[in-house]
Amino acid sequence: MNYDYLIVGAGLFGSVFAHLMKQQGKRCLVIDKRPHVGGNTYSPCIRGIHRHDYGAHIFHTSDPEVIDFVCQHAHFNRYTNSPIAIHRGKLFNLPFNMNTFHQMWGVKTPAEAQAMLEEQRREARAELQRLGLSQPQNLEQQALLLVGKDIYHTLIKGYTEKQWGCTANTLPPEIIRRLPVRFVFDNNYFNDSFQGIPEGGYNVLTDSLLNGIEVRLSEDFFEGREEWMKVAKKVVFSGPIDRFFDYCFGHLPYRSLRFEHLEVEESNFQGNAVVNYTEADVPYTRIIEHKHFESFGEDVYRLPHTLITKEYPAAWTPGAEPFYPINTPEANACHERYKQLAAQQDRVIFGGRLADYRYYDMAPTIRCALDAARKEAQ
Ligand code: UDP
């Protein structure tokens, strides 16, 4: 046993955990089946622009310890996410705020917007009552209660159903609670106190975390699992938990994504980093223009070209990249059974999005790694 920890996965969970254990004087080996570190935050520099190769990653949190931690490893720029939504050629601001309400209904004051929304929310509440429900049971009911039918049908239903590949009335209500609803003219997608993108790309953050730690890339844990299990006293597994247990309780359902990366010979393609296409019949959910994550004002025109990515939702089949866990009650119950098996593995620590089977943003992933490392140090 040459190492104290073999860390499977060089994404945020694995990198943070490895960093903290190295600080404790532990010998760590990190392996990843991909040819790069950083997991889905990987953003290589292509023609002078950092491209978010696995979808837009915008760091945001209000967790003081996480803020403090990441700021020790990277300098964050002032990027604030304020996506635009396009529906039948009309533009709307997101998240749902006074700008959206004005664009939708022409209302100009919070009182007018509240009145409009209340009328539609009343309808949604009446429908729930008719069904004998005290709480919304699915995303559709939740969305109608939050923003009413006009916004639901224009900005949510089409996007959600293509994103998840099923009808909104079969999805859990929590997904739509991620989005704020506010009665001020504020297009900031997040409510968090801290937001930005690491200057120089996410590789600055992960390279700093993994500095001085042995990393082996293009190494698949599952090819040679028995050998890998022998190289360290403990294994930290941040891959899919169902795969670790050979799918003995079946596959946990995921939604996958396909990215179409394009270079465009024009300096400013869409004027914003994120533009959502909310109609069901547009096959992609959004177009990302990467330079806007790191160039502001006149700097946008410094380069005569731009990089864009069209994001297509895709069915997950074994072998495809698992992106979004589909946390239905049945899937969560299945994950619970895997968790019970995991609890019996005294030499393996499980953590991160794929092991926890949770819809984690980056900051909660880091929070989990900080907690896991703290628990280990006890
Ligand atoms: N959503 C929507 N319309 C939009 C953007 C988001 O209906 O224009 C819904 C959709 O169901 C999505 C959820 O809100 O899955 C969460 O969106 P978010 O932008 O947080 O998703 P992510 O960036 O993680 O894909």
Side-chain angles (χ1 to χ4, degrees), residues 56 58 60 81 83-86 94 96 139 143 151-152 154-161 163-164 168 171 174-179 189-190 257 274-278 285-286 311 324 359-361:
I58 301 143
H60 60 97
N81 195 29
I84 298 290
I86 296 189
L94 292 174
F96 313 116
L139 191 152
I151 290 179
Y152 175 66
T154 312
L155 300 178
I156 297 177
K157 186 176 161 63
Y159 184 101
T160 296
E161 294 188 346
Q163 165 78 345
W164 294 96
L171 286 164
E174 296 79 45
I175 296 175
I176 200 68
R177 287 192 215 127
R178 288 168 61 86
L179 274 56
Y189 203 58
F190 303 116
L257 295 172
V274 184
V275 176
N276 291 358
Y277 287 78
T278 61
T285 47
R286 47 193 169 193
E311 193 172 309
Y324 296 93
Y359 189 169
Y360 282 148
D361 290 324

Side-chain angles (χ1 to χ4, degrees), residues 13 16-17 20 63-67 69-70 363-376:
F13 184 87
V16 171
F17 187 92
L20 294 169
D63 183 330
E65 198 188 348
V66 172
I67 298 170
F69 182 81
V70 293
T365 307
I366 293 176
R367 159 56 51 205
C368 290
L370 293 175
D371 292 345
R374 191 162 290 147
K375 203 169 150 202
E376 265 309 280

Side-chain angles (χ1 to χ4, degrees), residues 138-145 152-153 157 161 168-169 171:
N138 59 54
L139 191 152
E140 178 168 279
Q141 291 170 350
Q142 179 65 77
L144 289 168
L145 270 185
Y152 175 66
H153 286 286
K157 186 176 161 63
E161 294 188 346
N169 59 12
L171 286 164

